[in-house]
Every structure is written in structure tokens, then in C-alpha cells.
Amino acid sequence: MPYQILFDSIVAGLLASVACGLGVIPLMFKRLDPEKHTGMGYGIAGGLMFSASVYNLIMPGLSMGKTHVDIQSVAPVILGILLGAGFLAYTHLYLSPERLSQKRWKRWGGRSEILIFIAMSVHSIPEGVAVGVGFASGEMYDTNLGMYVAL
């Protein structure tokens, strides 16, 4: 039975990844000018990610299972936020114009393309973990949580 959970998790994770790729469909329409609508797309994506981060990750992390909030209970959440910000700051400094002008970096594109690739790669790790945990908890709670998370 554990192998079935692993198989279902992998298939669902792959399907969720394919579904993320469907976001490119609006760019297939000729009348949609990407240069004109890129700002709106970034705004929508940024707003969704900000609200998901604050309301579904940070706030529950600060109050999860706690009757009162003290520095010891919020330290892991604050540390996680600072580590993430530090990673972004280091990546920004590492991708200097001098480094990006080197031949081995040029094939990856410019700073924006590399940063988007890194962000999406790092961002996919917790999504995959969430799908796997959803399937693993389904056996304990007899629910379809894994399918809901993947969808």
C-alpha cells in the first residue's frame, strides 16, 4: 500500500506541474499583446502570492496551536522569512552584471530569466511536499486530501 501512495503522489505532482504550465495559454492568442499586459499579469500573480503567503502561511504559522504568542513561538516563522529574504538578496548580488556577461551565463538568458527559473524551482519544492503529505495523510484520515491539494 505505501507504494500506491508514492505512485499516486508522483502522478498527481506531475499533473499539478503540467497544470501550472497551462498558464501560458492566454499568450497563444494573437490579439493579446504580452508587452501591454505583462504588468497586469505580474500584478495579479504578485497579489495572489502575497495573499497566499500572508494569509495561508505566515499568519497560521504565527498562531498554530498557540494560546498566546511569545517570541519563542514566532521565532521559527520570522527566521524563515529572514532566510528567504537573505536568499533573494544573495542571489541578487551573485547575479552581477559582470557575472551575467560571462559566456557560461549568457546561455541562460538575462537576470530576470535566471531569477524566475530559480524562484520557480525553489517554489516547486514545497508544492511537491504538500502534494505528497496530502496523499500520505489520506491513509490516516481516510480522505482525498492529496487529490484536493494536487488540483
Side-chain angles (χ1 to χ4, degrees):
M1 193 61 154
Y3 294 113
Q4 185 63 39
I5 292 172
L6 179 63
F7 178 76
D8 290 346
S9 298
I10 290 172
V11 169
L14 290 172
L15 290 174
S17 296
V18 169
C20 288
L22 295 177
V24 77
I25 288 176
L27 298 177
M28 295 172 54
F29 299 107
K30 298 276 187 213
R31 292 186 300 193
L32 185 67
D33 182 15
E35 289 183 18
K36 195 175 187 182
H37 295 92
T38 299
M40 182 176 61
Y42 281 146
I44 292 170
L48 287 171
M49 293 309 297
F50 178 78
S51 63
S53 299
V54 172
Y55 297 115
N56 293 331
L57 297 172
I58 295 173
M59 289 175 64
L62 291 173
S63 64
M64 199 162 89
K66 310 203 177 42
T67 55
H68 70 286
V69 178
D70 57 359
I71 190 67
Q72 191 174 11
S73 64
V74 299
V77 177
I78 294 171
L79 179 65
I81 293 169
L82 292 175
L83 284 172
F87 174 76
L88 290 175
Y90 174 76
T91 304
H92 179 74
L93 291 174
Y94 182 79
L95 295 174
S96 66
E98 296 83 28
R99 181 166 280 131
L100 291 174
S101 65
Q102 295 174 358
K103 184 179 178 182
R104 66 178 177 181
W105 284 96
K106 281 188 177 184
R107 65 181 173 159
W108 295 101
R111 175 185 292 252
S112 297
E113 290 87 357
I114 294 171
L115 287 174
I116 289 171
F117 176 79
I118 292 170
M120 294 308 294
S121 298
V122 172
H123 178 77
S124 296
I125 294 169
E127 286 180 352
V129 170
V131 170
V133 168
F135 273 98
S137 67
E139 191 171 285
M140 285 188 287
Y141 299 112
D142 194 32
T143 66
N144 291 323
L145 181 61
M147 290 303 272
Y148 292 127
V149 172
L151 288 174

